[in-house]
């Protein structure tokens, strides 16, 4: 069984509720609140748990919210290492208007990390990295952390230890770690445009931009997330668009993290890159079928993966 480490530098407790209609300056009656662990890598670990693929979630946690975050993960039987910090872990809030099914997402600022805490996080990753097969860093970078250096250090650690590093972040941190070189990138079109230095990328330009990153040694595999349109898989030998199944969308929260988890699950099972992306799309799409901040239901993901697999077989027969 593959050993997977997920890193979440800006975790949160995600609170969600419903309201019939948002009306300014009125006291609104909300539905019962739901509390869930949040943050990119944490969601990846939670989703992997649903797929019966073990992982270790590494994240900073502080204050009462940090304690609640750890308790919520224990309740889901997710293995984790929480690094204690002095500042209180943030909360996010999502409210769904039942009248329109519109979703309103309120993201609070990330919790500031001190230099000493940053070092402790890195040392924890270093300690856990022995025998690891994959390290994935997912989510935003919190205030105080060195965006130009932290993930670069993790990438160097992974490279030195023969670990495949997957980066699913943005901004300065993504630019810096790509220059160091990683195994897999999962950008959207805007992020791919920034990484490649090519403005106004469209679907027809994805192949060239992604292969340029690969040829420069910045990564081995690029999976460009296209939302409801699926994803574009590019490697040295592959360039393929995989469409997403059409489903009734209730929420997009956690869809990207679910996609990463699906891909990791497939890789851990020894699947090829095409199967990897199909499993990722299946999990990501399944996540949009649930309300609020809830991740995918395993049976939905399996059903959608079968649909994608059967569709590919049919296309191969017809071609």
């Amino acid at each position: 069984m593959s050993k997977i480490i997920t890193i979440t530098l800006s975790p949160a407790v995600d609170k969600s509720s419903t309201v019939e209609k948002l009306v300014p300056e009125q006291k609104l009656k909300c539905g019962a609140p739901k509390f869930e662990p949040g943050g990119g890598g944490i969601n990846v670990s939670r989703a992997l748990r649903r797929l019966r693929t073990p992982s270790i979630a590494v994240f900073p946690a502080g204050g009462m919210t940090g304690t609640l975050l750890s308790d919520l993960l224990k309740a889901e039987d997710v293995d984790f290492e929480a690094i204690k910090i002095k500042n209180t872990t943030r909360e996010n809030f999502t409210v769904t208007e039942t009248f329109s099914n519109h979703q309103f997402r309120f993201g609070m600022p990330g919790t500031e990390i001190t230099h000493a805490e940053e070092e402790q996080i890195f040392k924890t990753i270093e300690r856990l990295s022995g025998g690891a097969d994959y390290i994935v860093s997912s989510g935003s970078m919190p205030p105080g952390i060195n965006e130009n250096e932290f993930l670069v250090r993790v990438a160097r650690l992974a490279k030195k230890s023969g670990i495949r590093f997957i980066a699913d972040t943005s901004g300065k941190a993504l630019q810096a770690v790509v220059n160091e070189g990683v195994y897999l990138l999962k950008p959207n079109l805007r992020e791919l445009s920034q990484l490649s230095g090519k403005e106004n990328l469209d679907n027809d330009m994805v192949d060239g931009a992604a292969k340029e990153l690969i040829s420069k040694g910045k990564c081995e595999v690029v999976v460009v997330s296209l939302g409801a349109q699926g994803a574009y898989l590019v490697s040295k030998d592959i360039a393929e668009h995989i469409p997403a199944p059409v489903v009734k969308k209730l929420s997009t929260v956690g869809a990207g993290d679910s996609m990463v988890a699906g891909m990791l699950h497939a890789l851990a099972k020894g699947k090829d890159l095409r199967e990897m992306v199909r499993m990722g799309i299946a999990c990501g799409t399944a996540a949009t079928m649930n309300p609020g901040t809830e991740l995918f239901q395993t049976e939905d993901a399996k059903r959608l993966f079968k649909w994608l697999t059967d569709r590919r077989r049919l296309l191969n027969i017809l071609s």
Side-chain angles (χ1 to χ4, degrees):
M1 181 65 71
S2 295
K3 181 179 178 181
I4 299 169
I5 299 169
T6 69
I7 304 169
T8 309
L9 297 172
S10 194
V13 169
D14 286 335
K15 299 193 295 185
S16 60
S17 186
T18 59
V19 67
E20 183 180 359
K21 193 172 183 180
L22 283 173
V23 182
E25 300 183 20
Q26 286 194 23
K27 188 174 183 179
L28 306 175
K29 186 175 181 180
C30 298
K34 188 173 185 178
F35 300 85
E36 293 174 291
I42 286 174
N43 281 336
V44 172
S45 280
R46 294 174 63 216
L48 283 169
R49 179 70 183 83
R50 297 186 179 203
L51 296 168
R52 299 184 183 276
T53 298
S55 67
I56 304 171
V58 178
F59 58 91
M64 293 179 62
T65 317
T67 300
L68 175 58
L69 176 58
S70 296
D71 289 342
L72 290 169
L73 286 170
K74 288 176 186 176
E76 293 190 19
D77 199 24
V78 174
D79 193 10
F80 66 89
E81 287 253 357
I83 296 90
K84 188 174 181 180
I85 59 173
K86 69 174 184 177
N87 292 321
T88 300
T89 298
R90 67 182 175 136
E91 296 176 295
N92 292 328
F93 181 55
T94 299
V95 60
T96 301
E97 187 183 61
T98 57
F99 173 78
S100 64
N101 200 38
H102 289 158
Q103 189 179 75
F104 300 85
R105 299 164 63 177
F106 302 90
M108 302 303 147
T111 303
E112 186 169 357
I113 302 292
T114 67
H115 177 70
E117 290 164 350
E118 178 179 333
E119 287 303 304
Q120 178 115 24
I121 296 168
F122 180 78
K123 287 178 181 177
T124 302
I125 297 166
E126 189 175 39
R127 171 171 56 82
L128 293 171
S129 66
D133 299 285
Y134 297 93
I135 296 177
V136 54
S137 180
S138 182
S140 59
M141 305 294 283
I145 206 149
N146 191 329
E147 293 186 68
N148 294 318
E149 285 293 331
F150 186 83
L151 292 185
V152 170
R153 293 173 67 193
V154 177
R156 288 172 182 166
L157 170 67
K159 195 177 295 184
K160 181 180 177 182
S161 305
I163 302 169
R164 288 176 166 178
F165 184 43
I166 297 172
D168 185 19
T169 186
S170 58
K172 293 179 182 178
L174 180 60
Q175 292 279 357
V177 77
V178 164
N179 287 333
E180 184 63 30
V182 299
Y183 171 64
L184 186 147
L185 290 173
K186 191 190 75 67
N188 55 32
L189 276 177
R190 177 180 54 81
E191 290 162 346
L192 179 61
S193 178
Q194 292 170 346
L195 288 173
S196 63
K198 301 180 187 299
E199 294 185 6
N200 303 317
L201 278 182
D202 57 30
N203 290 4
D204 294 333
M205 301 167 67
V206 166
D207 183 10
K211 286 207 168 176
E212 188 174 324
L213 292 178
I214 294 169
S215 67
K216 291 180 177 178
K218 296 181 184 293
C219 60
E220 295 181 41
V221 182
V222 181
V223 178
V224 185
S225 176
L226 302 174
Q229 296 180 52
Y232 209 100
L233 165 64
V234 183
S235 69
K236 183 181 177 181
D237 305 311
I238 301 171
E240 181 179 343
H241 172 243
I242 298 109
V246 177
V247 300
K248 182 179 179 180
K249 183 180 73 173
L250 296 181
S251 170
T252 58
V253 177
D257 301 323
S258 294
M259 182 179 182
V260 173
M263 292 193 296
L264 274 167
H265 168 73
L267 289 170
K269 296 292 184 182
K271 305 297 184 182
D272 64 32
L273 292 179
R274 289 185 172 89
E275 289 178 296
M276 173 197 78
V277 175
R278 282 174 173 78
M279 190 65 203
I281 291 173
C283 291
T285 304
T288 70
M289 298 167 63
N290 295 314
T293 56
E294 188 176 342
L295 298 177
F296 62 84
Q297 299 298 320
T298 307
E299 289 307 311
D300 288 336
K302 289 181 178 178
R303 176 172 54 82
L304 293 176
F305 177 70
K306 183 179 184 303
W307 183 88
L308 285 165
T309 303
D310 291 345
R311 180 181 181 277
R312 181 190 176 195
R313 288 186 184 131
L314 178 61
L315 289 175
N316 286 341
I317 292 171
L318 296 174
S319 60

